[in-house]
Amino acid sequence: MGKKHKNKDRKHDVAATGTPAPAKDAAAPSKKERNAAYERELERLQEEVAYLQAWVKATGARIVIIFEGRDAAGKGGVIKRLVERVSPRVFRVVALPAPSDREKTQIYFQRYINHFPAAGEVVIFDRSWYNRPGVERVMGFTPEETVKRFLEVLPALEGLLVESGIVLLKYFLDVSEAEQERRFNQRIDDPMRQWKLSPMDLESFRRWWDYTRAYDDMIRATDTPHAPWWIVDSDDKKAARINCITHILNSIPYERIPFEVPELGRRQKRPDDYVEDSIARNVVPSIF
């Protein structure tokens, strides 16, 4: 994806956050002020995600959210903030490894369908069936004719998913060449990030324009009214997180479900015959 692609939805930016757009001649906020504003907005959005979770459980909604994009574009960061304050039993993150020998003999879509949501679940795919027109195509893992046929039938297949009642949201995180290179160098220099740098990442760096053409073809073929692609400019990671989570919330017609305050009741009394430390215990040493 090139930087020419813009998010088609504008309703979620200023209007949804309730923050007025700054005047053009206004002084830019300091880094500290911007970070504080980010943390406040993220906390507000995560509270709304909790309300979304309650609605999903109450209504039996089924939601699928796909995250695709350039390597080092920040998919994991958006997903982490989206699910940070909710139950993993409701918000399930699916990040599949390379297919096993058995899975290679199955229908391609089969390994993904196995993870689709039941009633009251949100499934988030950290990469999805779009591996086929992406990395599999660029790296030559799948014949070109197979990829082209897949792109032809995929809109109809996604139409069936939506028709069945699944809410399907597709996001592509885009990042510039310069910013991707900066993030890759960060991974090389930081032992806590080196695990993120795979051989496929290095190939995606070297084959920038091969991936650009593949992603352009992919989005052109599968950007449909019933399952549109939403492009997220992620050169600014924090802005990308706020923009994307806001858009997700605006795209799902959830309502706040009243919380029924439970009665804690009275705790039982300590038994007269209970003796403290009556069983052997191995206690972790206190060092902090």
Side-chain angles (χ1 to χ4, degrees):
M1 293 296 301
K3 302 306 290 183
K4 63 183 179 180
H5 295 279
K6 300 296 183 182
N7 194 323
K8 293 182 287 186
D9 184 24
R10 298 299 181 190
K11 70 179 182 178
H12 68 284
D13 46 16
V14 173
T17 61
T19 304
K24 291 184 178 180
D25 58 348
S30 67
K31 183 177 181 180
K32 182 178 180 180
E33 290 171 334
R34 190 172 189 276
N35 286 344
Y38 163 76
E39 294 296 341
R40 288 194 301 270
E41 182 62 7
L42 180 61
E43 184 174 4
R44 186 188 72 81
L45 291 174
Q46 289 179 330
E47 181 178 317
E48 284 299 322
V49 175
Y51 288 126
L52 169 63
Q53 173 179 249
W55 176 83
V56 168
K57 291 173 64 178
T59 63
R62 293 173 296 154
I63 300 172
V64 172
I65 306 175
I66 292 173
F67 284 96
E68 295 286 343
R70 297 279 190 182
D71 288 318
K75 295 180 294 297
V78 175
I79 294 170
K80 177 181 177 181
R81 274 70 182 183
L82 178 61
V83 305
E84 199 168 27
R85 311 293 282 273
V86 289
S87 170
R89 296 184 181 88
V90 179
F91 281 73
R92 292 192 290 110
V93 179
V94 177
L96 298 182
S100 65
D101 290 340
R102 180 175 182 275
E103 288 173 330
K104 290 177 182 177
T105 67
Q106 296 175 342
I107 298 172
Y108 180 74
F109 217 78
Q110 188 171 340
R111 70 194 298 246
Y112 297 102
I113 290 178
N114 287 337
H115 296 277
F116 274 23
E121 293 181 345
V122 179
V123 173
I124 298 168
F125 283 99
D126 184 354
R127 297 205 181 277
S128 66
W129 47 90
Y130 283 99
N131 274 338
R132 170 145 289 182
V135 63
E136 291 186 18
R137 185 181 201 177
V138 174
M139 298 303 297
F141 298 153
T142 303
E144 183 66 16
E145 288 305 313
T146 301
V147 173
K148 289 181 178 179
R149 180 57 182 160
F150 181 75
L151 288 174
E152 288 175 0
V153 302
L154 191 51
L157 179 54
E158 290 182 345
L160 291 175
L161 299 180
V162 174
E163 188 177 308
S164 74
I166 289 177
V167 175
L168 176 61
L169 299 174
K170 303 187 302 188
Y171 293 95
F172 187 97
L173 274 68
D174 201 10
V175 67
S176 66
E177 294 176 78
E179 180 61 17
Q180 186 191 58
E181 183 171 356
R182 188 189 72 81
R183 293 177 188 177
F184 276 0
N185 283 321
Q186 270 189 331
R187 293 179 179 184
I188 291 171
D189 297 334
D190 186 349
M192 291 186 289
R193 300 184 188 185
Q194 288 169 358
W195 64 271
K196 293 184 175 183
L197 197 62
S198 70
M200 287 299 174
D201 292 333
L202 297 176
E203 281 301 314
S204 74
F205 176 81
R206 298 176 185 128
R207 301 191 185 200
W208 174 274
W209 289 107
D210 290 341
Y211 273 95
T212 297
R213 293 190 180 95
Y215 289 142
D216 284 346
D217 285 349
M218 176 186 86
I219 291 176
R220 186 183 303 112
T222 59
D223 183 23
T224 60
H226 57 267
W229 278 104
W230 297 100
I231 313 304
V232 183
D233 183 347
S234 65
D235 269 15
D236 183 327
K237 284 185 177 181
K238 291 181 178 179
R241 294 164 189 165
I242 296 298
N243 293 338
C244 194
I245 295 174
T246 300
H247 189 272
I248 290 170
L249 292 168
N250 284 346
S251 300
I252 301 170
Y254 72 99
E255 298 176 355
R256 292 191 178 187
I257 303 298
F259 177 66
E260 296 184 8
V261 181
E263 288 287 341
L264 286 178
R266 298 180 63 183
R267 196 189 300 273
Q268 65 181 162
K269 293 182 179 180
R270 174 174 174 152
D272 295 335
D273 59 349
Y274 178 78
V275 179
E276 195 75 38
D277 295 326
S278 59
I279 57 175
R281 291 186 175 91
N282 295 312
V283 180
V284 173
S286 179
I287 63 170
F288 185 76

